[in-house]
Amino acid sequence: MLTPIAGKSVIVTGGSKGIGRGIAELFASKGAKVTIASRSSEAAGTACSAILAAGGTARHVPTDVSEWNDVNDLVKNTIQTYGGVDVLCANAGVFPQTKIVDMEPDDWDHVLSTNLKSSFLCVKACIPAFEAAGSGRVILTSSITGPVTGFPGWSHYGASKSGQLGFLKTAAMELSKYNTTINAVMPGNIYTEGLDGLGEEYLDTMASSIPMKRLGDVADIANAALFFASDEAGYITGQQLIVDGGQILPESLEAIDEI
Ligand code: NAP
C-alpha cells in the first residue's frame, strides 16, 4: 500500500482526454488536487465535471504546453490556487501520421514543440515550486514508438518521444538538487480518443499483435504514474517503464501465433 497522495497538488498536462484524463481521475480519486492543462475548454470541462461529481478536486487552466508564457502562467496560477505543485505529469502530446516524403518542416516543429519542448518548459516552470516544497515528482508520458519501435508516419513523433528520454537523464541529475525525481512511462497502444482516430482496422490489428491480446487501458498508465508519484518511489529517478502488455516482445509475426 502506497502512502496516500491526498492533498497534493498535481498538474496533468493533456488531462482533458485519454491517458491524461485517466491520470487526472486516478489521482483525484486518491484525494489529490488536480489541475488539468490543455487547450480546449470543452473536453477539459467534461473531465473536471466527472471528477467533481465523483467527489474529487479538479480545475482546468487553458494552456498550450508548447508556449512558455502559457506554461509559466499555469504553474503560477496553480501555486496561487493550491499552494504549490507537488507532482507534474507532463503528458500532453499529439501524434499526426505523415510520412517523411510528405512531411513539411512545420509538421515536424509542431510535433516536437508539443511533445518534447513542452517537457522542458513544464519542468523548468515547476522548479521553483519543487525547491520551495523541498521535494517534487515529475512523470513524463513517453512512448514505445521512437525509443523502441518504429511506425511509418511517425518519424517526428518517435523523435519527440526518444527526445523525452534523452532529456530525462540529465533532468534527473539536475532535479536531484531539489529532492525531485523524474521518470517516464512508455505506453504501448492505449485505447484513447486520440488512438480511436486511427480507425477500427488499426485498433484491431494492433490488439492482435499484443501478447496480452488487448489494447491498454488509460488506468494501466495512470497506475504506473501514481507509483512514480508516491513517497515509496522516492529513490527512483531517471528511469523509464514500458507499459505495453508485452507489445514489444514478439521477435516476428509468427511468434504471436505460437502463444
Ligand atoms: P489524446 O487522447 O489525443 O489526448 C491528448 C491530450 O493532450 C488532450 O488533453 C489534448 O487537449 C492535449 N494537448 C494536445 N496538444 C496540446 C497542447 N499544445 N497544449 C496542451 N495540451 C495539449 O492523446 P492520448 O492518446 O491520451 O496521448 C496522451 C499522451 O500519451 C501523449 O503524449 C502520447 O504521445 C502518449 N502516448 C499515447 C499512446 C496511446 O496509445 N494512446 C501510446 C504511447 C504514448 P487539447 O487538444 O484540448 O489541447
Side-chain angles (χ1 to χ4, degrees), residues 2-216:
L2 302 176
T3 305
I5 198 162
K8 297 213 168 159
S9 166
V10 180
I11 292 177
V12 186
T13 72
S16 65
K17 290 185 203 162
I19 290 172
R21 180 167 170 179
I23 294 172
E25 288 185 346
L26 180 65
F27 279 60
S29 76
K30 304 289 180 191
K33 296 175 285 189
V34 171
T35 299
I36 289 175
S38 64
R39 293 164 303 176
S40 150
S41 295
E42 201 181 330
T46 307
C48 288
S49 299
I51 289 173
L52 298 178
T57 304
R59 75 207 179 99
H60 175 232
V61 177
T63 309
D64 183 337
V65 290
S66 64
E67 296 291 337
W68 169 243
N69 288 341
D70 276 22
V71 172
N72 212 15
D73 288 349
L74 161 73
V75 173
K76 281 187 185 153
N77 183 300
T78 304
I79 292 169
Q80 276 166 9
T81 307
Y82 289 149
V85 180
D86 299 300
V87 181
L88 164 66
C89 295
N91 163 84
V94 290
F95 34 94
Q97 207 172 356
T98 315
K99 290 188 178 160
I100 297 166
V101 68
D102 301 317
M103 193 181 292
E104 298 296 334
D106 281 350
D107 298 330
W108 177 274
D109 289 344
H110 170 60
V111 170
L112 269 287
S113 298
T114 307
N115 297 1
L116 176 57
K117 182 182 169 194
S118 63
S119 299
F120 151 65
L121 296 181
C122 291
V123 167
K124 180 177 171 60
C126 284
I127 285 177
F130 296 148
E131 185 171 22
S135 67
R137 292 279 187 277
V138 181
I139 298 99
L140 306 178
T141 307
S142 175
S143 178
I144 58 169
T145 309
V148 186
T149 62
F151 202 105
W154 281 324
S155 62
H156 49 0
Y157 177 78
S160 72
K161 294 290 153 181
S162 291
Q164 285 182 298
L165 300 185
F167 171 72
L168 173 72
K169 312 290 190 300
T170 296
M173 295 176 68
E174 294 186 14
L175 291 178
S176 66
K177 183 175 173 185
Y178 313 105
N179 190 29
T180 292
T181 68
I182 176 168
N183 294 288
V185 180
M186 299 162 69
N189 276 248
I190 310 300
Y191 186 69
T192 64
E193 288 92 328
L195 207 75
D196 203 31
L198 300 174
E200 204 170 323
E201 193 186 339
Y202 172 92
L203 299 178
D204 289 346
T205 309
M206 203 44 90
S208 65
S209 72
I210 297 170
M212 300 291 285
K213 294 290 179 205
R214 67 169 176 90
L215 298 178

